Amino acid sequence: MKKILYIWKDAYPWDIRVQKVCESLANNNYEVHLLSRYRKGLSKYQNINNLHVYRAGFGLPSALTQPIQGNPVWDNAIEFYIRKIKPDLLIVREILLGISVGRFAKKYGIPVIMDMAEHYPAAMRDFKKYNTNSLLRFAVHKLKLPDRIEKASVKLMDGIIVVCGEQIQRLHGFYGYPIDNIQIVHNTVSLHQFEKQLHIPFSNGIRILHHGWMSAEKSLTNLIKGFQSSLRISPDLRLILAGTGECEDEYKKLAEKEIQSGTI
């Protein structure tokens, strides 16, 4: 049975795309190992539904386990588990650890692909923490460090997984990356994960449901405010926002304000 080592920059559980990718690989007779970030309360190793989960930086404070290029905590963990597991393929999620994983892949002669779930440099420029902190803002917006990291990471990859066709054109246009080495894997819903249905009493009406991460780069502000115009057209509408994220409290306050003003 061939082995795959998936490197994920954050804690696991939980990330829906990591889960779906790893489950799909396991269901197709691969032995799947996941190197993730340690968070307080998690063990050094855990078997989750036949997924072998290891935690980089076990027992260390989060300040020392930042998933950045050159962090010895991650470099040591990546190399240790490559030598321990002897994987047939490496998969690295996103760009932050791409250079480290790519270099170790070349050192040990292992093919490596990147699971690029989004245009990460653009997303980072919309994250609140990279706009409110002056030092981080300078690094991300002025120096464009994410773009430089992405460029260096992409060059080390034998293949890249993206979520849409626009990413294929961007990677080929910006970096000259071969189109034939890029494959689309969409972010789709796994219906079996919804064991319980959401029941909201509302007869003879239409429900509009938004489900997902509530962050600045996917602003729902206009959607909430613009719902007033929709109600003028059809009062039998209801807007449901399901999810969490850095903007959750902001959207709750905005929704309460719109409710109080009689908008929704």
Side-chain angles (χ1 to χ4, degrees), residues 205-240:
I206 298 174
R207 299 180 184 91
I208 299 175
L209 173 65
H210 176 279
H211 174 267
W213 193 250
M214 298 181 183
S215 49
E217 83 281 7
K218 296 181 285 188
S219 177
L220 301 179
T221 301
N222 289 337
L223 174 61
I224 296 173
K225 289 184 175 180
F227 204 65
Q228 178 180 13
S229 299
S230 300
L231 287 175
R232 292 195 187 106
I233 300 172
S234 176
D236 294 329
L237 293 175
R238 289 296 182 273
L239 174 63
I240 304 169

Side-chain angles (χ1 to χ4, degrees), residues 37-104:
R37 185 181 180 186
Y38 168 74
R39 286 285 171 86
K40 187 176 180 180
L42 298 176
S43 58
K44 186 175 183 179
Y45 167 79
Q46 190 176 4
N47 187 310
I48 304 176
N49 297 326
N50 293 322
L51 173 61
H52 303 279
V53 182
Y54 312 92
R55 272 90 189 207
F58 177 73
L60 296 177
S62 61
L64 299 180
T65 62
Q66 295 293 325
I68 56 176
Q69 165 63 24
N71 185 340
V73 170
W74 276 99
D75 282 357
N76 291 338
I78 292 167
E79 185 164 27
F80 175 82
Y81 286 108
I82 285 177
R83 298 178 67 175
K84 175 184 174 68
I85 298 167
K86 296 180 174 57
D88 299 284
L89 174 68
L90 295 173
I91 303 177
V92 58
R93 169 72 176 270
E94 308 300 3
I95 63 174
L96 296 184
L97 294 170
I99 298 175
S100 292
V101 176
R103 287 176 176 172
F104 282 121

